[in-house]
Amino acid sequence: MTIVVDEYDPAIEFFVGVLGFTLVEDSRAQTNDGRPKRWVVVRPPGAETGILLARADGAQQKPVVGQQCGGRVGFFLRVEEFDATYERMVSAGVEFVTRPRSEPYGRVAVFLDVAGNRWDLLGPGA
């Protein structure tokens, strides 16, 4: 899965420093036409699947930053300690667009990542 971001370093800081993901890879690479880029992969704690953080390149890609799912929640972060994680994220400055609530599937609150994409923070039911 790829998340298109404005810049690599703020995205790494958000996903690794704020959300607690692991930085799996940060390698120098080149675009198809030879310009420099980076191959940056992060992974949520305990996950096997990584997320490629790709810097928007050009006029066609820039508009999708923060809008990869058309304004809908498109990403999900499941945690065991919902309240503690929520409080830690709020303290770190993460913007939540909904308050925590209980649903049949558990606790949930919607937050924005560094690019502006919507994520569900999900935890076990109360």
Side-chain angles (χ1 to χ4, degrees):
M1 168 172 66
T2 300
I3 295 179
V4 181
V5 297
D6 285 318
E7 293 294 336
Y8 297 112
D9 291 329
I12 293 169
E13 175 54 33
F14 179 81
F15 284 99
V16 175
V18 175
L19 295 186
F21 287 23
T22 300
L23 180 61
V24 177
E25 185 172 357
D26 184 357
S27 302
R28 301 282 174 200
Q30 291 183 342
T31 62
N32 291 335
D33 60 1
R35 290 174 291 119
K37 70 174 187 177
R38 287 160 62 184
W39 185 260
V40 177
V41 179
V42 296
R43 183 178 295 148
E48 293 183 28
T49 301
I51 300 169
L52 176 69
L53 302 178
R55 185 181 63 200
D57 183 20
Q60 185 177 5
Q61 294 179 19
K62 291 215 180 268
V64 303
V65 173
Q67 294 299 316
Q68 288 185 219
C69 298
R72 294 183 57 108
V73 170
F75 306 100
F76 305 87
L77 178 59
R78 183 168 297 280
V79 297
E80 292 299 320
E81 300 291 331
F82 180 88
D83 291 330
T85 303
Y86 174 81
E87 291 301 326
R88 183 181 56 75
M89 290 172 67
V90 168
S91 294
V94 174
E95 181 181 353
F96 279 84
V97 296
T98 68
R99 292 192 173 283
R101 65 184 189 278
S102 293
E103 295 289 346
Y105 52 82
R107 302 269 293 145
V108 63
V110 178
F111 70 94
L112 302 178
D113 69 19
V114 67
N117 295 298
R118 291 175 177 252
W119 289 65
D120 272 356
L121 176 64
L122 298 165

